[in-house]
């Protein structure tokens, strides 16, 4: 069976933890989109890890990790990550890299940084991992596909063509050093050496695995609201964050995705710019940020403080709907245990009217949150393993959210560890 694990919100919902947990029963874990720009934090028997490119299932020796064709493959980052986990005692993972994945080049990162610099105060808050330039090139058909590393004639011709085009921008728009096709060729040769042992037709591999009845997890990066089509465009990422894209970015039939586990966080956080209706500021935000996640809400890639907010039913309902949710995993609920009262955003007031449907960006920017305040439970719920044992007000919070978003919360995560989970 194929299951997708995806985010309902702006990312950082705890997909890594849920994937790591579900990977115990899985055979194959596939990354199908995104690149090294966002990270997953995972805490398990080996310690605490921040992964950017490897799927969250790499810590088990029974799983195979697949980097799907939809991923922005940063080969040096991938290898650094493999080395880091091995150095810390994790057995060498079984890794397969799609021959149709495309490669993040060093110039993609440079272009990312140059563009942020050019935009100055109007920048997107990119992590400068090269993701937007990478996907632009992919769709402009000037990207390098892993398979092309094995066609020397093609490479030699293509590096010249690509450099020609890039150098116009480097010279005239950015006034930066130009690319030398020879250097690009050398860079690609380095990547070839590194990636060669892992390359295969991963879609064919998954096709066989489905036939054999293997358990496959598709692991999403970021969340619905960062999707380029259905998110807060243009403050989005450059590849689709939706479960539906799992079919494309992994190369499996859409009808094989039987479960969509949408990870939804019990409060809100976001990185980067863009409308964030239930955002909070000052001491209130600082306290939630400090207590949030595991050791505070700071970016796994950049260490940047995340923007904080109360739970947003409008955004989360939409986030779950666009994913095609079958199950909601409601995470980091334990963090809210310090609050006397917990505001929840239940509607947006836009130009004098209240709506519970998530609007496009130009209206979102005008939205004022409508809050309902629920009583807190004022205790630590970590360690609780059954739903019945949760404090009454905590159950009320879960059930209130479930009713507002309209999708079943079948898992409640009450701590960062693998076992901190309550099934309903
Ligand atoms: P991802 O990108 O969706 O995987 O999310 P991140 O890993 O960036 O952020 C989630 C953070 O919350 C990580 O530091 C996790 O260890 C932590 N986390 C996940 N689930 C829980 C939970 O239920 N409770 C607490 N306190 N922390 C959690």
């Amino acid at each position: 069976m194929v299951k997708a694990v995806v985010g309902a919100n702006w990312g950082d919902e705890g997909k890594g933890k849920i994937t790591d947990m579900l990977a115990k029963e899985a055979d194959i874990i596939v990354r199908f989109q995104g690149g090294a720009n966002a990270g997953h934090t995972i805490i398990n028997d080996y310690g605490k890890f921040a992964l950017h490119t490897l799927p969250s299932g790499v810590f088990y020796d029974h799983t195979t990790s697949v980097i799907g064709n939809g991923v922005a493959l940063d080969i040096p980052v991938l290898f650094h990550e493999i080395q880091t986990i091995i150095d810390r005692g994790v057995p060498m993972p079984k890794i397969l890299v799609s021959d149709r994945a495309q490669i993040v080049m060093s110039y993609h990162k440079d272009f990312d940084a140059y563009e942020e610099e050019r935009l100055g105060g109007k920048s997107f808050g990119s992590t400068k991992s090269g993701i937007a330039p990478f996907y632009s090139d992919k769709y402009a058909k000037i990207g390098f596909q892993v398979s092309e590393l094995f066609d020397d004639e093609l490479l030699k011709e293509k590096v010249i063509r690509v450099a020609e085009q890039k150098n116009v921008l480097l010279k005239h728009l950015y006034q930066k050093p130009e690319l030398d096709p020879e250097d690009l060729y050398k860079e690609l040769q380095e990547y070839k050496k590194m990636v060669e042992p892992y390359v295969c037709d991963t879609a064919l591999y998954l096709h066989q695995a489905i036939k054999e009845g293997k358990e496959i997890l598709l692991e999403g990066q970021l969340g619905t609201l960062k999707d380029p089509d259905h998110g807060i465009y243009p403050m989005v990422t450059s590849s689709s964050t939706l479960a539906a894209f799992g079919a494309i970015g992994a190369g499996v039939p859409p009808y094989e995705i039987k479960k969509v586990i949408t990870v939804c966080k019990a409060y809100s956080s976001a990185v980067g710019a863009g409308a964030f209706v239930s955002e909070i500021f000052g001491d209130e935000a600082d306290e939630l940020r400090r207590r949030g996640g595991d050791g505070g809400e700071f970016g796994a890639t950049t260490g940047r403080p995340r923007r904080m907010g109360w739970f947003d039913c409008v955004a989360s309902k939409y986030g779950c709907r666009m994913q095609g949710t079958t199950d909601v995993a409601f995470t980091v609920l334990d963090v809210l245990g310090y609050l006397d009262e917990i505001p929840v955003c239940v509607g947006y007031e836009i130009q004098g009217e209240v709506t519970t449907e998530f609007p496009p960006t130009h209206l979102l920017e005008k939205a004022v949150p409508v809050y309902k305040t629920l009583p807190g439970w004022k205790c630590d719920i970590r360690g609780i393993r059954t739903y019945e044992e949760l404090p009454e007000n905590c159950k009320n919070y879960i059930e209130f959210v479930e009713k507002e978003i309209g999708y079943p919360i079948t898992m409640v995560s009450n701590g960062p560890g693998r076992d901190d989970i309550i099934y309903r």
Side-chain angles (χ1 to χ4, degrees), residues 108-305:
H108 287 133
K109 295 180 208 179
D110 294 339
F111 272 95
D112 209 346
Y114 299 158
E115 182 61 9
E116 288 282 294
E117 192 181 310
R118 190 178 75 86
L119 292 173
K122 291 204 168 70
S123 79
F124 291 87
S126 162
T127 60
K128 303 187 184 76
S129 313
I131 301 304
F134 165 88
Y135 280 108
S136 307
D137 282 0
K138 176 172 175 176
Y139 293 108
K141 297 173 284 192
I142 51 166
F144 289 97
Q145 196 179 70
V146 167
S147 66
E148 295 176 344
L149 293 174
F150 305 95
D151 185 338
D152 220 38
E153 215 171 299
L154 178 148
L155 276 192
K156 283 187 171 142
E157 177 272 321
K158 194 163 174 179
V159 288
I160 298 171
R161 188 155 46 90
V162 169
E164 246 168 34
Q165 195 174 12
K166 297 289 161 202
N167 285 343
V168 177
L169 289 175
L170 287 169
K171 188 169 175 196
H172 298 288
L173 184 64
Y174 298 117
Q175 285 98 37
K176 298 286 183 187
E178 292 177 43
L179 300 177
D180 177 353
E182 201 42 45
D183 292 342
L184 295 187
Y185 180 76
K186 278 191 212 136
E187 182 178 343
L188 289 160
Q189 292 306 308
E190 279 298 300
Y191 294 163
K192 181 183 171 186
K193 261 189 271 164
M194 295 164 106
V195 83
E196 194 163 10
Y198 308 102
V199 176
C200 72
D201 180 346
T202 51
L204 181 61
Y205 173 81
L206 293 173
H207 172 76
Q208 291 295 352
I210 291 170
K211 274 214 285 204
E212 288 162 18
K214 295 267 164 65
E215 187 79 13
I216 301 166
L217 294 179
L218 306 179
E219 179 180 18
Q221 183 216 36
L222 296 168
T224 304
L225 305 171
K226 293 283 188 183
D227 184 77
D229 283 81
H230 296 284
I232 52 170
Y233 186 85
M235 300 301 179
V236 292
T237 192
S238 304
S239 65
S240 175
T241 56
L242 301 184
F245 190 75
I248 296 158
V252 298
Y255 55 78
E256 292 292 351
I257 305 174
K258 305 289 185 205
K259 262 183 187 275
V260 177
I261 298 153
T262 304
V263 185
C264 187
K265 188 144 104 170
Y267 54 89
S268 301
S269 75
V271 285
F276 182 2
V277 178
S278 65
E279 185 167 12
I280 54 174
F281 304 92
D283 293 345
E284 202 178 33
D286 287 343
E287 172 139 47
L288 184 56
R289 184 179 302 108
R290 187 168 55 74
R291 293 172 177 269
D294 179 62
E297 291 283 358
F298 298 91
T301 306
T302 56
R304 287 190 291 195

Side-chain angles (χ1 to χ4, degrees), residues 87-106:
D87 289 348
R88 289 178 58 192
V90 179
M92 176 62 196
K94 289 188 277 299
I95 292 170
L96 300 176
V97 174
S98 167
D99 56 359
R100 290 176 184 274
Q102 294 201 12
I103 302 166
V104 178
M105 298 293 291
S106 52

